[in-house]
Amino acid sequence: MDIYKMVDSMGLNVEFSTGEDLFPNKRVKNDPKQVQIQEIVDPNDPPSLEKEEKARDKERNILKRRVNNFTYGVDIYKNFQYVDIDLITPCPPNWNYFKKPNTEQLITLISSVENLGILCPLILYKEKHLNDYTVICGQSRLTALKNLFANTQDVRYKKAPCYIVDFDDIDEYYIRAMILDSNLSYRSMDQTVLMKAIIERYTILKRTKTYRSEINVAQALSEEFLISRSTVYNYLCLKKLCEEAMVLLLEKRINLQAGRYLARVNHEVQVMILENFGIENINTIHMIKFLTSKDNIKLPELL
């Protein structure tokens, strides 16, 4: 699995990103927050030609597995185990970006686990060369167990009931789709997280299934997220943003309304607006509405 490290302009590590990056990361020149992405390379990697051949074989196997996963599904229930909570790690933050339960919600969950136990087993995946297991579904239940064990030292909370999926049997997209589906209590999501979930799901659907038109995809998303097709289109129109603008939107530095106005003009004009009028001013709606009233505009006219 490919692992990337994000380093900010001060040389400090920001976060680790795993697998394929389904979201943009390019930034405008005047953005004070500049982040570099560095691929972490294994020093024991084979020579380049051998590595390229292995990469091609790996990609062929991944594509074959992906087709099977999304066509026939995956039996996640065949391997049930009790797993030590110290051996379970969270999934990569770029896969599960959903909001954690607040204190009140966590206390309620802890109380439920204390009184009734874990009613729904966690779903984990395991890579053969690692001793640890990674959470696909059940991070909050794991947090509840860890809190209970830390405060009581009761061995009942030391192991979690889990279904284990072999990482070699499952595709990264399938794991990410499972994470999405298990977190789609969209009424408790803020707009940015819902937007990110819809765009990620759209990307996965387009890469794993054949849809004749954008309407088919929008309909599938509408049914899955239990929202109207017009709402889905409102979010999907944000895919017309340039990478630099999408980064700012995902970081909540520009709001959704400003993002929708920016999406009306081409990428070149979007970047000109961001670089010449200041990122902090983009959320002034009357300004951004005026600046995006013409497409294919040149800088002198825009100024």
Side-chain angles (χ1 to χ4, degrees):
M1 187 185 299
D2 298 325
I3 300 177
Y4 302 89
K5 181 173 68 174
M6 298 186 185
V7 181
D8 67 14
S9 52
M10 301 296 289
L12 301 173
N13 291 347
V14 178
E15 65 177 39
F16 283 90
S17 174
T18 303
E20 188 173 352
D21 194 354
L22 299 180
F23 296 102
N25 48 54
K26 190 176 179 182
R27 294 178 181 272
V28 288
K29 289 184 287 188
N30 59 325
D31 187 348
K33 183 178 179 180
Q34 294 294 334
V35 177
Q36 296 178 334
I37 297 180
Q38 301 174 354
E39 184 175 1
I40 298 176
V41 180
D42 185 347
N44 297 316
D45 269 355
S48 56
L49 287 176
E50 185 183 345
K51 185 178 177 182
E52 286 175 13
E53 183 57 37
K54 283 191 172 182
R56 282 192 290 271
D57 287 342
K58 180 182 175 184
E59 184 63 25
R60 281 193 290 268
N61 290 332
I62 287 172
L63 290 173
K64 183 179 178 181
R65 187 164 66 233
R66 181 173 301 159
V67 170
N68 287 334
N69 286 167
F70 281 94
T71 303
Y72 305 109
V74 174
D75 182 2
I76 62 174
Y77 303 115
K78 62 184 179 182
N79 184 3
F80 177 83
Q81 297 178 32
Y82 282 91
V83 179
D84 191 312
I85 57 175
D86 291 334
L87 293 177
I88 305 175
T89 59
C91 72
N94 61 314
W95 292 11
N96 189 344
Y97 43 80
F98 293 91
K99 195 161 56 174
K100 306 294 185 290
N102 59 33
T103 303
E104 183 180 348
Q105 292 167 332
L106 184 58
I107 289 172
T108 301
L109 178 58
I110 288 172
S111 177
S112 172
V113 172
E114 190 173 24
N115 292 321
L116 302 173
I118 298 291
L119 299 178
C120 184
L122 287 67
I123 301 175
L124 317 177
Y125 72 78
K126 186 178 186 306
E127 298 183 64
K128 284 192 172 81
H129 63 288
L130 299 176
N131 293 322
D132 290 350
Y133 300 79
T134 304
V135 175
I136 299 175
C137 306
Q139 181 59 49
S140 297
R141 280 162 277 161
L142 176 64
T143 302
L145 283 171
K146 288 189 173 184
N147 272 275
L148 282 165
F149 182 74
N151 285 286
T152 67
Q153 295 300 302
D154 190 326
V155 292
R156 288 184 300 155
Y157 308 121
K158 190 68 168 72
K159 290 190 175 183
C162 304
Y163 295 114
I164 315 298
V165 182
D166 188 334
F167 190 74
D168 289 340
D169 294 337
I170 201 165
D171 173 59
E172 174 191 330
Y173 284 6
Y174 198 86
I175 294 174
R176 295 171 77 159
M178 288 174 69
I179 292 168
L180 276 171
D181 287 357
S182 66
N183 282 280
L184 288 185
S185 53
Y186 75 95
R187 288 181 178 84
S188 63
M189 289 186 202
D190 65 34
Q191 281 187 310
T192 306
V193 172
L194 178 58
M195 173 205 69
K196 193 170 181 178
I198 287 174
I199 290 176
E200 182 177 21
R201 190 61 160 168
Y202 171 88
T203 304
I204 291 173
L205 284 175
K206 289 291 283 185
R207 294 187 186 183
T208 55
K209 295 187 178 181
T210 302
Y211 287 90
R212 284 176 294 180
S213 68
E214 193 88 355
I215 294 174
N216 297 108
V217 183
Q219 184 61 42
L221 292 170
S222 171
E223 292 168 359
E224 182 172 354
F225 284 81
L226 302 178
I227 55 180
S228 69
R229 202 160 69 188
S230 61
T231 302
V232 171
Y233 278 125
N234 279 337
Y235 285 109
L236 290 181
C237 80
L238 296 168
K239 286 178 60 62
K240 296 178 183 177
L241 288 172
C242 63
E243 286 196 37
E244 296 89 337
M246 183 61 87
V247 166
L248 295 170
L249 183 66
L250 293 175
E251 292 177 347
K252 299 185 180 181
R253 294 164 67 193
I254 61 174
N255 61 42
L256 286 167
Q257 190 175 5
R260 280 195 284 266
Y261 276 115
L262 269 178
R264 290 161 48 174
V265 295
N266 65 51
H267 287 187
E268 186 181 349
V269 175
Q270 291 177 34
V271 173
M272 281 195 296
I273 290 171
L274 291 171
E275 291 184 350
N276 290 280
F277 294 92
I279 296 166
E280 67 281 0
N281 295 319
I282 301 304
N283 290 322
T284 307
I285 295 304
H286 70 273
M287 177 188 285
I288 192 63
K289 185 177 180 181
F290 182 72
L291 290 172
T292 56
S293 57
K294 283 187 179 180
D295 201 3
N296 296 316
I297 194 171
K298 299 302 179 187
L299 183 58
E301 188 182 354
L302 185 67
L303 292 171

